[in-house]
Amino acid sequence: MKYRSTRGGMAPLPFCDILLEGLAPDGGLSLPETLPQLDADTLESWRGLSYADLAAQVLGLFIDDIPADDLLRMTRAAYAPDVFPQIAPVKPLRPGLALLGLSEGPTLAFKDMAMQFLGQVFEYVLDQRGQTLNILGATSGDTGSAAEYALRGKRGVAVFMLSPQGRMSAFQRAQMYSLQDANIHNIAVRGVFDECQDIVKALAGDLDFKSTHHLGAVNSINWARIAAQIVYYVWGWLRATQGPGQQVSFAVPSGNFGNILAGHLARRMGVPIHRLVLATNENNVLEEFFRTGVYRPRPASQTYATSSPSMDISRASNFERFVFDLVGQDAARVRALMAELQQTGQFDLSALKPQFTERYGFVAGASSHADRLTTIRAIHDETGVLIDPHTADGVKVAQAHLEPGIPMLVLETALPAKFAETILEATGQAPAVPAALQDLQQRPQRVETMDCDARQVADYLHRHAL
Ligand SMILES: *Cc1c(COP(=O)(O)O)cnc(C)c1O
């Protein structure tokens, strides 16, 4: 299994060689040269597997440069009961509608599912190569904490995570800043998220600095994260069906298009998925694309701060991988579209619209703050289950695409405890905090505060990098 770039300018490389890289050298994103295919017999033979053992099977299709027993050891560590007390449970809401619980990990959001595997495989590959890596990133909440919980205490790797001072919830701050591991460095920047991101881009873009300090990233374009996410589509299908060929639909609260891209790949691999229902909030760039065929990312000034904040994105960083499939894997066409996007701020694939729905099964919808409140309240009144605002966007849009005889699984991308304010607004009561996190906000915090100045961050890295 070798990997190529969506823009056609990278010599094929094995998994371990693309693992630690961000963008391909030609500016594209890596994808397997051919997608493994799953027949009905293989899927049926996996029904009895635990999540960890299923993950080793599925990931093994994409990773042939790590021995199978090492991979199994890693998935068993990543998906162990002390990390995920429950693993991807199906939680029924109504007949034909259920949640797939992806937020049972340490940071209460779905990013733990992929990031915990990433933590294992980073440590393994760095060990084998005798290398060190310093992860530099910026976060407005979920990604940074998922990365820190996955990489804390791991050999050969340190994390330097920039966050905008005073812009995260008290819960999110406590989650990150209470980590005391020596390889975790939280840096609160006196600025907004975009300014944190600019500092990361400036330092990672300085190739001398980058190679001297072995800088790396764990952002949502990382292929290993996408591969690890394919596992729970297979798992969800196995849990929601009894036999071969039965169809299931998935509804996915979307931002950077990483989560639903994994669903698209699972479907192309042969998992019997009927619809992939893409849900956005008021930042509806992706919903607009699936409705009109025009992709028109918004400037930061038109990206709204909503009550499902992890979906407040203006440009979907994984979308290029889907476009590559849409245009028949024609890398030259991808390059032309990306150049057009840069020059004109949009591109138009409306001529390919039948492909989205008929060939690839995509439908989309947008949800608003009022929709979230109504949905959280209705589901709670009816079933007693509390859902978080992102999951509520998914449930809202899923309801418009229910079809008789086809179970709909809505991916639960966070737990309500993380977004208490909106839950309180919707239901009049605060969500329960999991027992293990009840003292979280009382724990001592460890954070460096800095001005919005790349030189200060560079200096800190220089002193603390591995
Ligand atoms: C990251 C995130 C999303 C969006 O997922 P993408 O892969 O970026 O589409 C949705 N909900 C929550 C809670 C998230 O943390």
Side-chain angles (χ1 to χ4, degrees), residues 109-111 142 229 253-260 310-311 388 390 413-414 419:
F110 89 99
K111 291 184 175 72
D142 293 339
Q229 289 170 186
S254 293
N256 271 316
F257 205 80
N259 198 351
I260 202 164
S310 302
M311 294 156 64
D388 105 287
H390 306 78
T413 56
F419 301 97

Side-chain angles (χ1 to χ4, degrees), residues 15 29-32 35 58-59 62 110 114-115 117-118 219-233 256-266 269 317-319 321:
F15 175 84
L29 304 179
S30 50
L31 273 172
L35 205 57
V58 174
L59 287 165
F62 294 99
F110 89 99
M115 211 66 97
F117 173 68
L118 207 67
N219 44 25
S220 66
I221 58 169
N222 183 289
W223 167 257
R225 285 180 61 183
I226 305 293
Q229 289 170 186
I230 293 173
V231 177
Y232 54 70
Y233 286 90
N256 271 316
F257 205 80
N259 198 351
I260 202 164
L261 175 78
H264 165 68
L265 296 172
M269 288 166 72
S317 56
N318 266 296
F319 194 54
R321 287 186 166 118

Side-chain angles (χ1 to χ4, degrees), residues 172-184:
Q172 286 175 316
R173 280 201 304 273
Q175 246 184 345
M176 292 179 56
Y177 302 167
S178 65
L179 290 179
Q180 303 295 331
D181 308 78
N183 72 330
I184 302 296

